Amino acid sequence: MGYKRVLVKFSGEALSGNSGFGIDVKILEYIAGEIRTLVDNGVEVGIVIGGGNIIRGVSAAQGGIIRRTSGDYMGMLATVINAVAMQEALEYLGVDVRVQSAIEIKEVCESYIYRRAIRHLEKGRVVVFGSGTGNPFFTTDSAATLRAVEIGADVIIKATKVDGVYDKDPHKFSDAKMLESIS
Ligand code: GTP
């Protein structure tokens, strides 16, 4: 593969299939299968999943009743639900996996401990990082970048709805240009 360690990021919506909400187990299994291919090729894999299939902080706060900070914490909890689901699917396919959460929820999963995450990866286990960065006002893309740097990933693979990085949203702007390379 050319990479020793990677960080895979995908949105929560990717798990929801056509319904746009919740978790479609067939899609969950498909994505877990793709991750297994990486593991089978000797790649160490960290995963960050968004939570938008359950709740988004920004949207929850739109009506002015739920404050943005609380909305973001709700969104972080949503990412833990997705992380636990991914853990189940990977284990179902025979892949060793651990979930670590930036917010301590110790009855549900391990807490994020950088050195422990590294050990899991070295042992060939997938580590799913839940709760984003653990802070409101940050996206799970920021969490993916942070964890990627922390674990020394060679690359961040972002599975998304478009085929590359654009100067603006290609779904909204027909003149959006794909950037071939960025610093
Ligand atoms: P090694 O230390 O390399 O053997 O890793 P390990 O993860 O198998 O060992 P450990 O005994 O720490 O964990 C055993 C299981 O308990 C794993 O599935 C962990 O994810 C889980 N686990 C460990 N710590 C916690 C925790 O604080 N909360 C929860 N819910 N599970 C935990």
Side-chain angles (χ1 to χ4, degrees), residues 85-154:
M86 184 49 62
Q87 176 172 245
E88 291 298 305
L90 285 166
E91 271 182 358
Y92 176 77
L93 297 180
V95 178
D96 281 341
V97 52
R98 299 287 184 267
V99 173
Q100 291 199 341
S101 169
I103 294 172
E104 192 166 297
I105 322 178
K106 65 179 170 36
E107 285 77 7
V108 178
C109 60
E110 294 180 22
S111 298
Y112 175 66
I113 299 171
Y114 150 72
R115 292 174 65 96
R116 199 169 188 196
I118 299 284
R119 285 296 288 144
H120 287 322
L121 292 167
E122 287 171 351
K123 289 180 180 176
R125 296 169 183 151
V126 171
V127 182
V128 189
F129 300 105
S131 303
T133 66
N135 300 103
F137 301 100
F138 289 89
T139 66
T140 46
D141 279 352
S142 298
T145 310
L146 176 64
R147 295 294 179 243
V149 173
E150 286 188 272
I151 65 172
D154 301 311

